[in-house]
């Protein structure tokens, strides 16, 4: 098992702990790592409250860790738009995270690849698809809320969340 897989599996476990408590948002888990040591962890809170990435930043700050150059593991692509909360991509960029590892893209049409593009445009290395089957399995109830249309290689979705 690679370190990426190990930390993503930890993020999955964090996400599972908040299933049923995130409203229409996905129950995301996040782990921030520096020098192969966990700096902070988080999981998405109820609607309008911090997403997993922000909770992990808060945890790392409480522990006294700098996040500059760290790697962030998140089960779902970070949001990239203002909804009930500010975009997580902006916070990731502001924290000077060096690398983001994503389990799956957010199928929300307001995100779906946009978060990845914003991170890459800011010079952040993005790795996508780590433990994607395990992520899809634990998020199946949330993913089922999206109605897929596969008329092309790009999936489109009807539901919207943030």
């Amino acid at each position: 098992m690679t370190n990426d897989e190990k930390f993503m599996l930890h993020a999955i476990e964090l996400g599972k702990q908040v299933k049923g408590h995130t409203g229409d948002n996905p129950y995301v888990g996040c782990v921030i790592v520096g020098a192969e040591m966990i700096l902070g962890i988080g999981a998405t809170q109820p609607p309008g409250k911090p997403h997993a990435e922000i909770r992990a930043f808060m945890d790392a700050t409480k522990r006294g860790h700098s996040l500059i150059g760290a790697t962030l593991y998140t089960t779902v692509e970070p949001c990239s738009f203002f909804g009930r909360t500010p975009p997580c991509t902006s916070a990731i960029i502001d924290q000077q995270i060096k690398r983001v590892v994503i389990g799956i893209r957010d199928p929300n049409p307001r995100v779906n690849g946009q978060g990845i593009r914003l991170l890459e445009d800011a010079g952040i290395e993005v790795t996508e698809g780590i433990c994607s089957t395990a992520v899809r399995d634990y998020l199946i109830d949330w993913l089922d809320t999206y109605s897929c249309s596969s008329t092309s290689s790009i999936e489109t979705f009807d539901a919207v969340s943030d």
Side-chain angles (χ1 to χ4, degrees):
M1 174 182 302
T2 68
N3 279 342
D4 282 352
E5 292 167 334
K6 176 177 79 172
F7 292 122
M8 185 60 72
L9 291 173
H10 189 174
I12 289 169
E13 291 307 312
L14 292 168
K16 286 179 180 179
Q17 291 174 16
V18 295
K19 182 179 179 180
H21 302 284
T22 61
D24 59 348
N25 289 334
Y27 22 101
V28 175
C30 180
V31 176
I32 302 173
V33 176
E36 297 189 34
M37 177 180 84
I38 293 177
L39 304 177
I41 60 172
T44 296
Q45 300 302 294
K49 304 283 188 203
H51 289 183
E53 299 90 340
I54 306 309
R55 292 289 298 184
F57 293 153
M58 293 165 65
D59 183 50
T61 300
K62 185 172 73 174
R63 295 179 191 207
H65 296 299
S66 168
L67 299 177
I68 296 171
T71 298
L72 183 146
Y73 294 84
T74 183
T75 55
V76 178
E77 174 184 10
C79 66
S80 56
F81 63 92
F82 278 90
R84 292 174 290 230
T85 62
C88 292
T89 52
S90 296
I92 292 167
I93 293 165
D94 291 346
Q95 291 290 335
Q96 300 179 43
I97 298 293
K98 179 180 179 182
R99 180 171 177 247
V100 174
V101 180
I102 298 167
I104 63 170
R105 284 189 184 209
D106 187 335
N108 181 333
R110 292 165 51 183
V111 181
N112 201 354
Q114 179 72 7
I116 293 168
R117 186 187 66 74
L118 289 170
L119 295 172
E120 289 177 338
D121 287 353
I124 297 171
E125 177 188 345
V126 177
T127 303
E128 183 181 357
I130 301 298
C131 301
S132 61
T133 299
V135 171
R136 287 185 191 287
D137 286 349
Y138 101 85
L139 285 169
I140 192 69
D141 294 337
W142 176 73
L143 290 168
D144 280 349
T145 66
Y146 285 86
S147 175
C148 296
S149 166
S150 56
T151 56
S152 70
S153 61
I154 299 174
E155 295 178 331
T156 58
F157 298 85
D158 297 330
V160 175
S161 69
D162 69 319

